[in-house]
Amino acid sequence: PSAPPVAIIGEQLWERKYGGAPAILGRRVEIDGVPHEIVGVMPARFGFPSSRTELWLPIHIDPLRTKSAAFDYHAIARLRPGVSVSTATAELQRLLPTAPEEFPGRLTASGIAQTKMRSVVQPLRDVVVGDIGKVLWVILGAVGFVLLIACANVANLFLVRIDGRQRELAIRRALGASRAALGVELMSEGVVLATIGGALGVILASLGVATVHVLDPSINVPRLAEVGIDGTVVVIAAGITAFAALFVSAVP
């Protein structure tokens, strides 16, 4: 309780407000009218508890002035290796009846029993992400079906195109072209078309992500600010592009 006020700031706040000056360490800045000493700068990748957090202050807890039944804070802790969520829940539930003895006040043992108060431990990911995973899987499935429909349509167009080239292909076969050579040509056409489609897809995805970042406050998706196009996305897009090329080329 008697410790001097200190603070840790985020890298973006450090660069935006203080120009990234190394001399920020030890500097005193006023926060809510109270001078605080800056004791550290967290890197930009440290998005805790969210990517928008730019300032961290310690909680001054005075045991002599702490009263029970004041549930004003959310506690986040790392479980010891080998300890499950259910085990941690049971341990906290066992300790709950002792709270009135440790912190006498409005909370009583009879009150805990009457209200059926219980301890709840939840994985942080479940709290942050919630049920959005189910929604995203449904969207992914819908997008996958749309992709298959698009591939089927392009394959049909290839079939129609090949049907119009029967005379040309027959002449080339008569002149000595092998089925493999003709197949490679058709495959190359499919690869070119799929590559153009894949590149356009990545570009549209980048524009779409930029758009949802602008609309972020109006879209209820957890950690939306962290969504982006990275190397993994490009590799997956390349794999889907190769699949599409094989699909639309193999049918004809």
Side-chain angles (χ1 to χ4, degrees), residues 28 38 64 66 82 102 105-106 108-109 111 115 121 126 151 189 234:
R28 301 184 70 82
I38 303 298
L64 299 179
T66 300
E102 295 291 335
R106 291 170 292 176
T108 62
T115 58
V121 178
D126 294 349
C151 288
E189 294 177 0
V234 174

Side-chain angles (χ1 to χ4, degrees), residues 154 157-158 187-200 241 245 248:
V154 174
L157 293 176
F158 265 58
M187 187 71 70
S188 63
E189 294 177 0
V191 169
V192 171
L193 185 62
T195 301
I196 294 174
L200 289 176
T241 298
V248 302

